[in-house]
Amino acid sequence: MAGNKSKHPERRKQRVPENKKRKQRQSKKVRNDKNQRNDNVVVYKPPVNINLGLGIFVLLIGYLAIIIISYLKSKPITPYEVSMGSLAVNNTYTGVALREEVLVSADYSGYVNYYAREGEKVSKGTMIYTIDSTGKLSDVVGTDNTSENKLSDNDLFEIKSDISEFANSFDPINFNHTYNFKYDIEGTVLKLENYRVLSGIEKINSANYSDAVSFGYAPTSGVLVYAVDGYEQLKAEDLTPEMLDSTQYVRSQFHSGDLIADNDNAYKLVTSENWSIVIEIDEARAKELEDETYVEVRFLKNNYKSWAATTILHQNGATYLKLDFNNSMITFASDRFIEIELLLNTQSGLKIPNSAIVERAFYLIPEKYYTEGGSQGNPGFIRESYLEDGSKSTEFVDAEVYAFVDGYYYVDESLFNVGDKLLMPDSEATYTVSKQDTLVGVFNINKGYADFKEITILNANDEYSIVKSNSEYGLNVYDHIVLKGDTVSDRDFIYE
């Protein structure tokens, strides 16, 4: 088999059929003819047609894209309309009452019974109490069933007045005042009862108890108080913030029937109509009152009004206002902490939020250098300049004035550089620009851009300020300003 393959290799080749060769020759001829015809064909180039509508659409899309991008990158600006108003300032305080108080101690030991009314003025030598060393005085007098136990109209009026005052001034936050009220009512009732006991004092002698009962008399005249609290000798100069904390206040009330020892405090007398209330204030209020000699005060307990002389004290890390009175002491003789309202003059003006207020620096230029010039007679200044050949010349600089203070105009820093020389009109005098100062103001946006306007603050609290209206370079009612002044710069266009 191997020998056959090597002798006849041509048998392995397949012969191409004759008709297939013929078709290949014809196809080749056709291609040659087409190539010859293509050489004579000229390629047609269509004219360029511009679609105007499509171009406008593309431009609009591009413009909208720019507007959207600018809006997304811009800071949100919230406007605020300026209006007339006043501030709701909290002028209510709780202060400590300081008086001339004399502590009176007992001369004997035993059970005490009081006969004088608390809060009334007693003269020297008035009997205030009795001390019974046996404790049987009330039993002896109480055996008299013929005495009248009804309260008089004056007695009932006193109790009703105490209840009415407590109801009007009740504050659930200061519930400790309720206990003081309780003690006052108990003391009033017991004192009224002791008048009945005192009226039967002759029975003491008949029952041979005269040696067991001692009498206490007022050593001086004054207003009587049946309580002590440790504040009796306190001076305004010794006050600390802790002493004004009414929640830590402790008061010892005296009652008829209490067991008392020799030399224990039995009561106290307020000996002068001159007294003071001291309140703690902040520095802003202290500055507001530093030029005031007197201030009107309303007492919340009974709505009574009175004028007080003022003294500001800075001590122990706090600021205090001392209010000195020369009347009404007897009404509040038994009160240590007193609620008052300062009746200050409420200033009105343009009311703006504090968030709108900013500070801005300006150049100060003397009034004598101010002039008018330009094609329209605008206000401005004449600046010295130099031409290309080095010769001196002048130019007029339009300048918006933002304020006029102490003979100086406040002008925009962008108009001048430090060292610029300004010429005085009709004179050879010059002024070198260098002096600067700041103004407090807001950004007015009436014209669609941020325009700085100076303001004069009359009063302020934590949220709003009252500023002067109708000033020459300032604001007017219904102006629109930027609510947050630190979000813009001068001359920025505003997109609400």
Side-chain angles (χ1 to χ4, degrees):
M1 297 295 292
N4 293 337
K5 291 182 180 179
S6 61
K7 290 181 179 180
H8 304 285
E10 65 278 4
R11 295 181 179 177
R12 296 194 304 268
K13 300 180 180 179
Q14 296 181 355
R15 292 185 177 183
V16 179
E18 191 64 28
N19 57 350
K20 188 174 184 180
K21 291 181 179 180
R22 191 182 301 114
K23 290 180 179 180
Q24 291 176 349
R25 288 195 297 269
Q26 291 176 354
S27 177
K28 184 175 180 181
K29 183 178 180 182
V30 170
R31 288 197 299 271
N32 292 335
D33 293 340
K34 288 183 177 180
N35 291 334
Q36 292 176 359
R37 288 197 295 270
N38 290 337
D39 293 339
N40 298 324
V41 174
V42 177
V43 179
Y44 174 75
K45 296 181 179 179
V48 179
N49 293 324
I50 300 176
N51 191 329
L52 184 60
L54 179 61
I56 294 175
F57 178 76
V58 172
L59 290 176
L60 288 175
I61 293 297
Y63 176 75
L64 290 175
I66 293 173
I67 294 296
I68 293 173
I69 293 173
S70 300
Y71 175 79
L72 294 176
K73 288 184 176 181
S74 64
K75 298 178 181 178
I77 302 299
T78 303
Y80 176 86
E81 185 177 87
V82 178
S83 60
M84 295 293 293
S86 59
L87 297 181
V89 180
N90 182 15
N91 292 328
T92 302
Y93 299 88
T94 299
V96 171
L98 303 179
R99 298 171 280 255
E100 293 183 12
E101 303 175 17
V102 176
L103 291 172
V104 181
S105 57
D107 296 327
Y108 306 95
S109 298
Y111 295 92
V112 63
N113 286 283
Y114 295 105
Y115 301 97
R117 296 173 186 267
E118 183 176 44
E120 71 178 15
K121 189 168 185 179
V122 296
S123 59
K124 181 179 180 181
T126 301
M127 194 187 76
I128 306 299
Y129 64 86
T130 61
I131 294 180
D132 175 19
S133 60
T134 64
K136 296 181 179 181
L137 176 61
S138 297
D139 295 337
V140 172
V141 179
T143 57
D144 184 7
N145 297 324
T146 62
S147 60
E148 186 65 49
N149 291 325
K150 291 183 179 180
L151 296 175
S152 67
D153 291 340
N154 290 335
D155 297 337
L156 289 173
F157 177 77
E158 180 179 357
I159 295 176
K160 289 180 179 179
S161 297
D162 291 342
I163 295 174
S164 178
E165 289 179 2
F166 171 74
N168 291 333
S169 62
F170 176 73
D171 183 359
I173 297 177
N174 297 320
F175 193 75
N176 59 311
H177 293 173
T178 304
Y179 295 99
N180 294 335
F181 168 71
K182 172 188 173 184
Y183 297 145
D184 291 341
I185 292 297
E186 287 179 350
T188 300
V189 173
L190 288 172
K191 283 178 288 182
L192 295 176
E193 172 62 16
N194 285 337
Y195 283 119
R196 187 185 66 83
V197 175
L198 186 61
S199 64
I201 197 68
E202 66 276 1
K203 297 186 64 176
I204 298 175
N205 295 327
S206 63
N208 296 322
Y209 281 100
S210 58
D211 294 339
V213 177
S214 302
F215 297 86
Y217 301 94
T220 185
S221 61
V223 177
L224 187 62
V225 178
Y226 292 117
V228 294
D229 54 15
Y231 285 68
E232 286 77 16
Q233 306 304 320
L234 184 64
K235 303 298 182 183
E237 295 75 14
D238 301 325
L239 273 176
T240 63
E242 293 76 16
M243 294 178 180
L244 272 75
D245 185 1
S246 61
T247 61
Q248 305 298 322
Y249 177 67
V250 178
R251 168 178 167 168
S252 298
Q253 186 78 29
F254 303 135
H255 304 93
S256 289
D258 289 348
L259 182 62
I260 192 171
D262 184 15
N263 290 325
D264 282 352
N265 292 322
Y267 60 92
K268 66 183 177 185
L269 294 170
V270 183
T271 58
S272 175
E273 186 68 19
N274 297 322
W275 63 298
S276 304
I277 295 178
V278 181
I279 61 175
E280 185 174 355
I281 58 176
D282 55 28
E283 287 298 330
R285 179 52 51 87
K287 185 176 181 180
E288 180 182 354
L289 295 172
E290 63 183 1
D291 295 329
E292 299 290 339
T293 305
Y294 293 89
V295 65
E296 190 175 15
V297 174
R298 182 173 70 89
F299 297 94
L300 301 189
K301 181 177 180 178
N302 56 4
N303 288 323
Y304 178 79
K305 296 179 182 179
S306 180
W307 286 89
T310 61
T311 304
I312 296 176
L313 305 174
H314 299 275
Q315 60 192 38
N316 299 319
T319 303
Y320 301 95
L321 176 64
K322 181 171 174 278
L323 302 167
D324 296 321
F325 302 89
N326 58 12
N327 54 42
S328 309
M329 180 277 297
I330 191 170
T331 305
F332 307 97
S334 61
D335 299 321
R336 182 63 67 188
F337 286 90
I338 301 176
E339 292 182 326
I340 63 170
E341 179 185 4
L342 301 180
L343 301 179
L344 304 175
N345 293 328
T346 303
Q347 291 181 312
S348 61
L350 301 179
K351 187 176 181 179
I352 63 173
N354 292 337
S355 61
I357 300 175
V358 295
E359 281 192 7
R360 189 179 167 208
F362 296 90
Y363 283 125
L364 274 62
I365 300 178
E367 178 185 8
K368 295 180 180 180
Y369 290 83
Y370 178 83
T371 185
E372 294 180 354
S375 59
Q376 299 180 352
N378 295 328
F381 304 90
I382 301 173
R383 177 168 56 189
E384 185 179 87
S385 61
Y386 292 87
L387 301 177
E388 293 182 357
D389 59 3
S391 59
K392 288 185 179 181
S393 181
T394 60
E395 60 177 340
F396 180 79
V397 181
D398 289 344
E400 180 182 356
V401 174
Y402 289 86
F404 179 73
V405 180
D406 297 332
Y408 285 90
Y409 286 107
Y410 285 66
V411 299
D412 196 334
E413 282 186 313
S414 63
L415 299 177
F416 302 102
N417 296 312
V418 174
D420 284 355
K421 288 188 176 181
L422 305 182
L423 303 178
M424 183 184 298
D426 302 325
S427 172
E428 295 183 355
T430 62
Y431 173 76
T432 303
V433 176
S434 61
K435 192 173 183 179
Q436 291 178 290
D437 196 9
T438 59
L439 292 176
V440 176
V442 297
F443 285 110
N444 187 312
I445 55 174
N446 290 347
K447 300 177 182 179
Y449 60 88
D451 185 16
F452 182 87
K453 295 293 183 181
E454 180 205 12
I455 60 174
T456 301
I457 299 176
L458 303 176
N459 202 353
N461 59 17
D462 293 338
E463 296 183 1
Y464 290 92
S465 293
I466 298 299
V467 304
K468 187 177 181 181
S469 61
N470 299 322
S471 57
E472 183 177 0
Y473 303 104
L475 292 176
N476 294 299
V477 66
Y478 304 126
D479 280 350
H480 287 80
I481 62 176
V482 178
L483 180 61
K484 295 184 178 180
D486 57 359
T487 61
V488 299
S489 299
D490 196 39
R491 303 300 175 178
D492 283 353
F493 286 98
I494 304 301
Y495 302 94
E496 298 182 7

